[in-house]
Amino acid sequence: MKALLMTSGLLGLTLLGNTALASPMETMTVIYRSPVDYALYQQKAEMLGYFQLELHEGIRLEAKTQLRQMATRFAQADNRLVRHSPTLSVPERVLSAPR
């Protein structure tokens, strides 16, 4: 019981201390732009957005092309190995009855 009273007392003091040291309320500054400035800002934002899309699309296409080239080279190398490898004869299994 004594521990509960001490804990609640300490908790109360900590909460009171935090409210006294709280930082002041945040302020927001609003800047009004002229219509021309806003239009230029919007055009720049759209242009950068399209550039990002083109960049990502270019990276995707380049990766796809490189993957296709690697697969083609691997298939060609695999075909050469199969053509030049000696034919393996698989021995036939002879099943006999247990003795």
Side-chain angles (χ1 to χ4, degrees), residues 8-25:
S8 62
L10 287 175
L11 183 63
L13 287 175
T14 358
L15 290 175
L16 284 175
N18 283 342
T19 55
L21 299 175
S23 61
M25 186 182 286

Side-chain angles (χ1 to χ4, degrees), residues 4-68:
L4 180 64
L5 286 174
M6 288 179 66
T7 306
S8 62
L10 287 175
L11 183 63
L13 287 175
T14 358
L15 290 175
L16 284 175
N18 283 342
T19 55
L21 299 175
S23 61
M25 186 182 286
E26 293 181 21
T27 59
M28 184 183 340
T29 305
V30 178
I31 298 173
Y32 293 99
R33 296 178 182 225
S34 70
V36 174
D37 286 341
Y38 183 71
L40 287 174
Y41 164 76
Q42 203 168 18
Q43 183 181 10
K44 181 181 82 171
E46 288 176 4
M47 184 178 64
L48 289 175
Y50 289 133
F51 175 72
Q52 286 288 340
L53 286 175
E54 289 176 2
L55 185 66
H56 290 296
E57 184 68 19
I59 290 171
R60 189 186 68 78
L61 287 175
E62 183 67 26
K64 189 176 180 180
T65 304
Q66 288 178 358
L67 199 67
R68 187 174 291 137

Side-chain angles (χ1 to χ4, degrees), residues 77-89:
D78 193 36
N79 286 339
R80 274 187 256 134
L81 287 175
V82 169
R83 271 188 267 140
H84 297 297
S85 67
T87 56
L88 299 174
S89 59

Side-chain angles (χ1 to χ4, degrees), residues 86-94:
T87 56
L88 299 174
S89 59
V90 179
E92 294 181 19
R93 290 187 178 183
V94 179

